[in-house]
Amino acid sequence: MEKEIFLVEGAGFCFGVKRAIDIAFDVAEKHKEGLFTLGPIIHNPQVVEKLRELGVNPLEDISDRLDIKTLIIRAHGIPKGKLEELKNYGFEIIDATCPFVKRAQKIAEKLALEDYQVIIIGDKNHPEVKGILSYAGEKAVVIKNSEEIPYINKKIGIIQQTTQPLSKVKEILNGIINSLSEFEEMRIFNTLCNFTSKRLEATEKVAKEVDMMIVIGGKNSANTNQLANLCRKIGVKTFHIEDAEEINSDWFRGVKKIGITAGASTPNWIISKIVDKIKCL
Ligand code: SF4
């Protein structure tokens, strides 16, 4: 049976991840030793391995490493206190935090300084959110539904984890607005990242048209899991894979239309390899 492949527009690296990786490869070219990233630069084992071959190693804990010359901060950013602590060590710090994440951090900081209680819509365990929260003052809270809002302050400022789905944010905001009488002032900033929402929308569109979706990206990548969950929710047969080796030809029996999408940490060369392999099945 002739297969048709539909590659989702915008699948793969987002602006912030591409920027962070370009920075890491650029640093690897210029410096030859003592290069580290704080945690893996992105949630993609193949890219992390490529960088490792060039001498850029991920570090979880810097405390006992005296050989650090340059430390790269990944796109998600890190908590304010941690950044200040790192600066005291004296090695070079290259901050590859995505400018969209930086913007959310700055808005959180400004709101806290102006005595707003900062409400962050997002996942409290995600590193990006932990970073933003550290700028948001003591009264800040992270919520994933409108019932979780504590009515401590009369003035609230609402921001979002950059990768939250717009539909979920709208639902939560509606819930908060229903409690308007509890507040004197409510400010809402849009800190969502267009790259993510556009990729989700484009994935949804393709997933509704095909017989099967292949979602490519790290198994520990939140935004790739978000794409896979979206496809499963739509009801289309979905496989989440990291590379071409995981492809099983049995999956494609009787399948005509195949959609392919990929998370923000998936390099184009992995996507192309998978597309080529599927074409040859
Ligand atoms: S998903 Fe958006 S906010 Fe996050 S790193 Fe990519 S471009 Fe930046």
Side-chain angles (χ1 to χ4, degrees):
M1 189 190 293
E2 183 79 11
K3 285 190 284 299
E4 279 182 84
I5 295 178
F6 300 83
L7 184 59
V8 168
E9 203 185 325
F13 281 169
C14 63
F15 156 78
V17 165
K18 183 173 182 319
R19 180 177 169 273
I21 291 166
D22 286 348
I23 289 172
F25 278 99
D26 194 47
V27 171
E29 242 179 53
K30 291 184 184 140
H31 306 263
K32 289 292 162 227
E33 53 185 31
L35 305 179
F36 295 92
T37 57
L38 192 60
I41 187 95
I42 57 169
H43 287 136
N44 182 281
Q46 291 87 350
V47 173
V48 172
E49 200 43 48
K50 274 202 170 194
L51 278 167
R52 209 190 286 274
E53 283 161 19
L54 294 173
V56 185
N57 288 295
L59 261 190
E60 287 306 331
D61 183 15
I62 61 151
S63 55
D64 54 349
R65 298 299 297 244
L66 302 173
D67 53 343
I68 303 173
K69 292 217 164 65
T70 304
L71 186 70
I72 304 167
I73 310 292
R74 57 191 177 176
H76 289 149
I78 56 171
K80 189 180 178 182
K82 182 80 182 166
L83 187 60
E84 277 155 14
E85 181 199 320
L86 291 173
K87 284 180 183 161
N88 291 331
Y89 282 90
F91 45 69
E92 182 188 23
I93 295 174
I94 297 181
D95 190 355
T97 306
C98 173
F100 296 129
V101 176
K102 276 265 179 233
R103 177 175 171 267
Q105 292 174 347
K106 281 191 184 141
I107 293 172
E109 191 166 40
K110 190 165 179 287
L111 284 168
L113 280 172
E114 291 173 6
D115 201 30
Y116 287 86
Q117 180 180 21
V118 180
I119 311 289
I120 305 167
I121 298 174
D123 169 6
K124 66 178 189 305
N125 297 316
H126 193 282
E128 176 197 311
V129 174
K130 287 182 182 169
I132 296 171
L133 185 63
S134 69
Y135 287 84
E138 281 174 6
K139 288 180 277 184
V141 285
V142 182
I143 61 162
K144 43 183 190 333
N145 61 62
S146 55
E147 284 84 58
E148 288 175 358
I149 285 222
Y151 301 108
I152 302 173
N153 239 37
K154 287 288 170 195
K155 282 167 64 173
I156 60 167
I158 305 164
I159 59 174
Q160 309 86 35
Q161 178 183 354
T162 56
T163 48
Q164 286 293 293
L166 180 60
S167 53
K168 188 178 157 199
V169 170
K170 278 186 185 166
E171 197 185 302
I172 296 172
L173 287 177
N174 276 334
I176 299 174
I177 287 167
N178 282 338
S179 324
L180 185 63
S181 55
E182 300 286 340
F183 305 103
E184 277 168 13
E185 193 182 340
M186 192 183 274
R187 297 189 72 188
I188 303 170
F189 288 81
N190 176 5
T191 57
L192 294 176
C193 163
N194 272 345
F195 284 85
T196 308
S197 47
K198 281 192 181 149
R199 188 182 16 237
L200 281 164
E201 270 169 35
T203 297
E204 182 172 354
K205 209 168 150 202
V206 170
K208 284 178 175 164
E209 301 288 323
V210 296
D211 310 313
M212 174 206 276
M213 283 298 292
I214 301 288
V215 181
I216 314 165
K219 299 269 163 66
N220 55 352
S221 153
N223 77 84
T224 312
N225 280 313
Q226 204 178 23
L227 290 170
N229 290 337
L230 171 74
C231 297
R232 288 186 191 113
K233 209 167 144 193
I234 287 166
V236 63
K237 184 155 83 164
T238 302
F239 296 95
H240 177 175
I241 57 172
E242 286 186 352
D243 58 41
E245 316 310 312
E246 289 174 68
I247 290 177
N248 181 338
S249 55
D250 290 347
W251 300 344
F252 300 86
R253 270 200 207 118
V255 171
K256 190 169 184 297
K257 292 180 176 178
I258 302 150
I260 298 182
T261 190
S265 328
T266 310
N268 281 344
W269 52 269
I270 292 186
I271 301 174
S272 304
K273 210 169 141 193
I274 288 171
V275 170
D276 290 346
K277 183 158 181 183
I278 293 173
K279 277 183 186 161
C280 294
L281 287 174

